[in-house]
């Protein structure tokens, strides 16, 4: 015993097995405990009735339990649900459930705030405080499942890392959470139903390929480096050509049919027909599909949403180039739950240029 406890929800099957081995117990105990937690939503030792009292006592010395605490819940008129969850120290993150006809998507946060500084994003405007731990990420899914009622487990068919934060800047915790989401003793989601969305951290995309083969979405938002340097500042470090190469490599290594490119439509900034042609040139003949995102505004953003006709014309150019392109529906409008509107509550710790943030460990 080391005297420290680990949170059960942040432990993979392999880590649980190692813990039981260390305790002189059989590794099948890991299976037993995961069945309680993920199969039957029992999140405390008292409920695990097929473990002996002695074992439960021994486990209580090593494990912590509990779900994130809800600060508020909002239900939108279209069925979208948004939770504001406490993240300690007067801070909060957000998770959003988006029901659709034949699936239900939970959008989870990976950090308290974000250090990437994209000027069109409410989270980015708030700055960065800290990475979430794996249990805080998995906890969002467990909590949503419980909150969604008796059918909660079935209702969440997809999980996307598109809430607050840059998931690949918190790769260690995100990888662990992904492992639990995919494990058939965990949430048992297929790898195509878990999507990591990134602003384009190239080394981390390469590292993700070594450990995981989940769906990848990349926030491209611009077709040339000059514009992308402004819209997605991490581009100054990893320019478009380098980013795209890492995407094609990822698709090959992870055996993915395609990578999704997100493109937020900003009026008069990146939405011209010329931009559409440039985008088609960048992605044509590659394993790529495009998600056009209507810009969701927030106070003082300084950007405007492209008119529908412009979005349609942009999409047509891509379709004619043979690129699968969809326009994302805006959901949860009346509760500010759409992409880029998640604000939570962040005590910004770092208000320095991106490069310096990297030195300080905002990116792992
Ligand atoms: N940090 C990751 C994931 C979270 S953001 C990333 O950037 O990919 C999820 C998506 O919402 C990204 O594509 C992001 O660019 C987009 N987004 C951010 N702000 C937005 C806004 N105001 N309107 C529409 N989409 C936005
Ligand atoms: Fe961070 Fe993504 Fe927002 Fe950029 S768009 S600031 S990477 S959360």
């Amino acid at each position: 015993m080391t005297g420290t406890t680990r949170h059960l929800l942040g432990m993979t099957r392999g880590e649980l097995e190692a813990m039981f081995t260390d305790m002189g117990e059989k590794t099948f105990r890991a299976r037993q405990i995961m069945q309680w937690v993920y199969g039957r939503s029992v999140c405390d030792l008292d409920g695990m009735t097929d473990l002996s009292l002695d074992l439960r006592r021994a486990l209580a010395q090593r494990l912590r339990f509990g779900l994130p605490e809800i600060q508020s819940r909002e239900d939108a008129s279209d069925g979208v649900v948004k939770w504001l969850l406490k993240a300690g120290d007067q801070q909060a993150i957000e998770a959003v459930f988006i029901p659709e006809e034949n699936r239900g998507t939970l959008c989870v946060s990976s950090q308290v705030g974000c250090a990437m500084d994209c000027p069109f994003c409410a989270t980015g405007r708030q700055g960065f405080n800290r990475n979430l731990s794996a249990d805080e990420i998995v906890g969002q899914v467990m909590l949503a499942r419980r909150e969604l009622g008796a059918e909660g487990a079935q209702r969440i068919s997809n999980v996307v890392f598109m809430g607050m934060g840059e998931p690949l800047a918190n790769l260690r915790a995100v990888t662990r959470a992904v492992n639990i989401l995919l494990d058939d003793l965990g949430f048992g989601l297929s790898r195509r139903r878990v999507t990591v969305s990134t602003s384009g951290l190239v080394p981390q995309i390469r590292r993700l390929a070594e450990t995981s083969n989940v769906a990848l979405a990349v926030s491209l938002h611009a077709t040339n480096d000059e514009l992308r340097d402004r819209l997605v500042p991490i581009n100054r470090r990893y320019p478009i050509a380098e980013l795209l190469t890492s995407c094609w490599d990822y698709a090959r290594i992870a055996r993915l049919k395609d990578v999704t490119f997100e493109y937020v439509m900003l009026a008069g900034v990146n939405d011209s027909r010329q931009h559409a042609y440039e985008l088609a040139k960048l992605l044509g003949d590659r394993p790529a599909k495009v998600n056009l995102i209507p810009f969701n505004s927030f106070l003082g953003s300084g950007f405007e949403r492209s008119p529908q006709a412009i979005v349609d014309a942009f999409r047509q150019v891509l379709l004619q180039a043979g690129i699968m392109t969809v326009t994302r529906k805006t959901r949860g409008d009346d509760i500010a739950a759409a992409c880029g509107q998640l604000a939570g509550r962040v005590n910004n710790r770092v208000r320095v240029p991106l490069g310096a943030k990297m030195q300080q460990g905002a990116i792992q």
Side-chain angles (χ1 to χ4, degrees):
M1 267 305 299
T2 58
T4 54
T5 58
R6 285 194 63 181
H7 200 295
L8 176 63
L9 291 183
M11 292 177 78
T12 63
R13 190 196 308 202
E15 289 170 331
L16 281 168
E17 285 175 350
M19 179 193 74
F20 281 115
T21 304
D22 187 47
M23 292 170 76
E25 290 281 339
K26 294 270 178 3
T27 53
F28 79 87
R29 297 284 185 201
R31 172 177 290 268
Q32 226 175 349
I33 209 168
M34 286 183 84
Q35 272 161 349
W36 277 115
V37 176
Y38 302 105
R40 283 172 271 189
S41 298
V42 172
C43 279
D44 62 277
L45 282 167
D46 292 341
M48 302 184 184
T49 47
D50 60 357
L51 303 181
S52 72
L53 206 54
D54 279 351
L55 180 54
R56 277 186 261 165
R57 276 201 195 111
L59 285 173
Q61 307 272 309
R62 295 176 179 253
L63 295 178
R64 273 179 289 126
F65 295 82
L67 295 176
E69 207 179 314
I70 301 176
Q71 195 148 321
S72 64
R73 167 183 168 147
E74 288 178 89
D75 287 68
S77 53
D78 60 1
V80 167
V81 187
K82 179 169 91 168
W83 294 273
L84 185 67
L85 305 172
K86 289 190 181 164
D89 197 17
Q90 298 280 310
Q91 306 195 82
I93 50 144
E94 298 189 311
V96 178
F97 177 68
I98 307 139
E100 283 170 279
E101 208 165 294
N102 43 21
R103 65 176 174 189
T105 302
L106 187 72
C107 179
V108 295
S109 293
S110 55
Q111 299 183 307
V112 182
C114 184
M116 298 295 138
D117 265 348
C118 306
F120 55 86
C121 171
T123 308
R125 287 286 177 94
Q126 290 184 303
F128 172 81
N129 185 277
R130 68 172 175 89
N131 282 330
L132 293 179
S133 55
D135 62 271
E136 288 175 308
I137 298 172
V138 172
Q140 294 171 57
V141 190
M142 281 302 278
L143 187 84
R145 208 163 93 157
R146 197 181 71 185
E147 283 271 303
L148 292 171
E151 301 286 295
Q154 290 86 303
R155 286 181 71 193
I156 300 172
S157 61
N158 295 57
V159 173
V160 296
F161 286 82
M162 294 184 188
M164 295 167 67
E166 165 50 56
L168 294 191
N170 183 13
L171 190 62
R172 228 174 305 151
V174 166
T175 305
R176 201 178 267 143
V178 162
N179 182 309
I180 297 164
L181 290 171
L182 300 190
D183 191 333
D184 51 11
L185 288 179
F187 294 91
L189 296 176
S190 111
R191 68 191 187 92
R192 286 180 196 80
R193 291 177 176 274
V194 176
T195 303
V196 171
S197 175
T198 179
S199 54
L201 303 189
V202 168
Q204 284 82 351
I205 291 175
R206 298 196 177 284
R207 270 160 57 198
L208 186 71
E210 289 161 18
T211 55
S212 160
N213 51 11
V214 287
L216 181 68
V218 173
S219 296
L220 194 57
H221 305 323
T223 54
N224 60 67
D225 284 324
E226 199 196 336
L227 182 56
R228 195 163 191 272
D229 281 355
R230 273 202 290 132
L231 295 179
V232 189
I234 192 72
N235 193 69
R236 296 173 202 159
R237 186 110 165 203
Y238 307 115
I240 294 175
E242 220 177 291
L243 171 60
L244 291 181
T245 304
S246 73
C247 292
W248 314 140
D249 289 345
Y250 185 88
R252 184 172 40 78
I253 296 165
R255 288 171 288 103
L256 283 183
K257 201 159 99 301
D258 41 43
V259 171
T260 300
F261 291 90
E262 296 159 287
Y263 196 97
V264 62
M265 297 293 286
L266 304 168
V269 176
N270 65 354
D271 64 348
S272 73
R273 198 170 272 274
Q274 187 56 33
H275 288 124
Y277 287 126
E278 284 173 15
L279 186 57
K281 202 162 156 210
L282 284 177
L283 305 182
D285 300 330
R286 295 293 192 169
K289 63 182 179 197
V290 173
N291 235 324
L292 299 177
I293 314 178
F295 170 63
N296 297 305
S297 66
F298 52 91
L299 204 65
S301 74
F303 293 97
E304 277 169 41
R305 183 182 285 193
S306 304
Q308 188 60 43
I310 296 280
V311 178
D312 291 343
F314 196 96
R315 178 163 173 260
Q316 278 311 318
V317 171
L318 296 173
L319 288 175
Q320 269 157 22
I323 300 168
M324 214 319 240
T325 306
V326 296
T327 306
R328 190 177 287 172
K329 281 201 208 83
T330 296
R331 303 285 307 270
D333 258 351
D334 47 343
I335 57 168
C339 291
Q341 290 182 320
L342 301 188
R345 198 197 286 175
V346 180
N347 295 336
N348 185 18
R349 265 197 313 123
V350 256
R351 260 277 169 246
V352 287
L354 193 63
K357 280 175 199 165
M358 289 178 172
Q359 315 281 316
Q360 288 174 4
I363 298 175
Q364 274 189 3

